[in-house]
Amino acid sequence: MSNNQQPQPASEEIDLGQLFQLIGNVFKKLFTFIGSIFKGIFHFIVLFLIFIQKHFIKFVIAGVIGIGVGIFLDIKNDQKYISSMVVEPNFNSVQQLYNNVSFYNELAKAEDSIALASALKLTTKEAASIKEFEIESYSDENQKVLLFDKFIRELDSTTVKNLDFEAYLKNFNTFDARFHKINLVSTNSGVATKAQPAIVKSISSNGYFKEQKATNDKNIGFQEEIYKQQLNEIISLQQLYKDVMVKEASKEIGGTNINLADNGSGTNKEIELLKERDDLKEKIVELNLEKANKATILNVISDFPSRGVKLGGIINQYKFLLPLLLVSLVLIFLLLLELNKGLKKYTKK
């Protein structure tokens, strides 16, 4: 019987050894590359520190000069104050409000105190003290949810299916917010309260918005009369049902029997009237809330304070900004000089 078994070749072991060697080489090159990156970063940091050490006195001089000039300018310039007012525009007047505030801000930036005084009903000196106007939307997530709920109530069922809260937030802009905050920056801490009536009147005196408010007041009054009439009719029907039940109960048909059901239909008209009366009361409450919210074209939720708050913070002071600016300029200038030297050496080579 012959032996047909032959020894297995060692090619598999050789292939595995080569594979591990290749993997090892790859990792070695990878670690060498990463190491070179860290060495380059370390070398750059050392060069930068040497550069700072070489020009340290220049940076100190620039910083001291900046602090000195900054302190002088902070003392020379008047202290600024900021005042804030929160408003709620009605009847789509938000766009006009933003336009007006932008107009006031342009006049303040241009230092046109005469035109600004005329627009805000101030003296020229008071108007000259105003340095800036700004306006921003004032809303949180809860208010956005309420606005979304109100928005979808006005849509048909087909449109609502294709709209979710995330999509609504993506299209939410500044004008969609319910409340808006107006900031006034001035060197006069009390000028904001004097400017407030003119800011509010600039919206309230607009003819279009006044017409919108008048129409809304008529509609609310008309709806209020309907609700009152319906409520009186419900009260009359309740009294009528009570009188009928009392008369039916007084009849001696096999004894006294008060049946609250309507001819065996299982529906209690008295309870139905109570439900309708409660629903109508809720509608009247909602109407009264709408009437109160839209009593004016521009609702002032929070007035300007009697005195503004100091516009503080180190970033708003020259003694911080000027040293930082001068040191940055010196750094850029010295780097450009070093670059120029390097380019000259490279050209000679």
Side-chain angles (χ1 to χ4, degrees):
M1 185 175 181
S2 62
N3 188 5
N4 294 327
Q5 295 182 350
Q6 297 179 359
Q8 294 290 333
S11 60
E12 294 182 1
E13 296 180 0
I14 296 174
D15 292 340
L16 288 176
Q18 292 176 349
L19 177 62
F20 286 132
Q21 185 177 3
L22 288 173
I23 294 175
N25 291 334
V26 170
F27 277 103
K28 184 178 179 180
K29 291 180 180 180
L30 177 63
F31 290 140
T32 303
F33 175 71
I34 295 174
S36 65
I37 292 176
F38 281 105
K39 287 181 181 178
I41 294 174
F42 178 74
H43 180 68
F44 176 77
I45 293 174
V46 171
L47 289 177
F48 183 74
L49 292 176
I50 293 173
F51 173 79
I52 296 296
Q53 183 186 36
K54 181 180 177 182
H55 302 286
F56 181 74
I57 300 299
K58 298 174 184 176
F59 291 125
V60 171
I61 294 173
V64 171
I65 293 174
I67 292 174
V69 176
I71 292 175
F72 173 76
L73 291 176
D74 285 334
I75 295 174
K76 183 180 179 181
N77 291 333
D78 295 328
Q79 174 64 51
K80 292 182 180 179
Y81 301 87
I82 183 170
S83 304
S84 300
M85 175 175 65
V86 179
V87 297
E88 179 188 14
N90 291 320
F91 312 110
N92 299 319
S93 60
V94 61
Q95 179 68 66
Q96 184 64 51
L97 176 65
Y98 272 73
N99 290 343
N100 289 3
V101 173
S102 178
F103 173 68
Y104 301 147
N105 186 56
E106 290 177 2
L107 293 178
K109 291 294 182 182
E111 299 183 355
D112 190 350
S113 56
I114 297 176
L116 187 59
S118 176
L120 297 178
K121 310 304 179 186
L122 302 172
T123 64
T124 306
K125 183 178 179 180
E126 289 172 337
S129 69
I130 299 176
K131 302 302 178 183
E132 183 181 2
F133 273 95
E134 62 178 6
I135 183 171
E136 57 185 351
S137 60
Y138 186 77
S139 61
D140 54 20
E141 291 300 321
N142 292 332
Q143 292 175 1
K144 290 179 181 179
V145 170
L146 293 175
L147 289 172
F148 175 70
D149 180 68
K150 181 180 178 181
F151 176 70
I152 61 176
R153 288 176 184 272
E154 299 174 355
L155 303 176
D156 56 84
S157 57
T158 304
T159 306
V160 170
K161 291 179 181 179
N162 299 323
L163 181 66
D164 56 10
F165 184 63
E166 295 297 329
Y168 176 78
L169 288 181
K170 289 181 180 179
N171 296 304
F172 188 87
N173 57 48
T174 302
F175 298 149
D176 293 328
R178 180 179 177 184
F179 302 113
H180 303 267
K181 183 166 69 172
I182 301 173
N183 297 323
L184 187 152
V185 179
S186 173
T187 57
N188 184 342
S189 62
V191 74
T193 54
K194 297 180 180 180
Q196 177 176 326
I199 295 173
V200 175
K201 189 177 179 181
S202 66
I203 303 298
S204 302
S205 60
N206 183 286
Y208 172 77
F209 301 135
K210 289 171 69 175
E211 185 66 26
Q212 291 292 314
K213 182 184 179 303
T215 302
N216 184 76
D217 291 343
K218 290 180 182 179
N219 292 336
I220 289 178
F222 179 68
Q223 192 67 46
E224 192 174 20
E225 289 296 326
I226 292 176
Y227 286 160
K228 287 181 179 179
Q229 184 178 355
Q230 290 177 343
L231 186 60
N232 291 332
E233 290 176 355
I234 290 174
I235 293 173
S236 300
L237 284 174
Q238 285 179 323
Q239 186 62 44
L240 177 62
Y241 286 150
K242 288 180 182 179
D243 294 341
V244 171
M245 286 191 292
V246 170
K247 290 180 181 180
E248 290 293 331
S250 63
K251 294 181 181 179
E252 295 183 358
I253 305 176
T256 302
N257 181 24
I258 300 177
N259 184 14
L260 296 179
D262 182 28
N263 297 327
S265 62
T267 303
N268 192 315
K269 289 189 175 182
E270 182 68 15
I271 295 176
E272 283 185 355
L273 286 177
L274 288 174
K275 290 181 179 179
E276 290 182 7
R277 185 174 179 178
D278 290 338
D279 292 340
L280 196 56
K281 286 181 178 178
E282 291 181 2
K283 292 180 179 179
I284 292 175
V285 170
E286 292 179 359
L287 189 65
N288 289 334
L289 290 175
E290 182 182 359
K291 185 178 181 180
N293 290 334
K294 295 186 176 181
T296 57
I297 296 173
L298 186 70
N299 296 334
V300 179
I301 308 301
S302 175
D303 296 297
F304 280 129
S306 57
R307 288 183 60 85
V309 180
K310 287 184 178 181
L311 190 63
I314 192 170
I315 60 173
N316 293 314
Q317 298 178 7
Y318 286 110
K319 60 188 173 188
F320 170 77
L321 296 175
L322 278 183
L324 184 62
L325 177 62
L326 287 180
V327 171
S328 299
L329 290 175
V330 170
L331 176 61
I332 294 172
F333 178 74
L334 293 175
L335 286 174
L336 290 175
L337 288 179
E338 292 293 331
L339 177 61
N340 186 49
K341 290 179 181 179
L343 291 175
K344 287 182 178 180
K345 289 181 180 180
Y346 181 81
T347 304
K348 289 180 180 180
K349 291 180 181 180

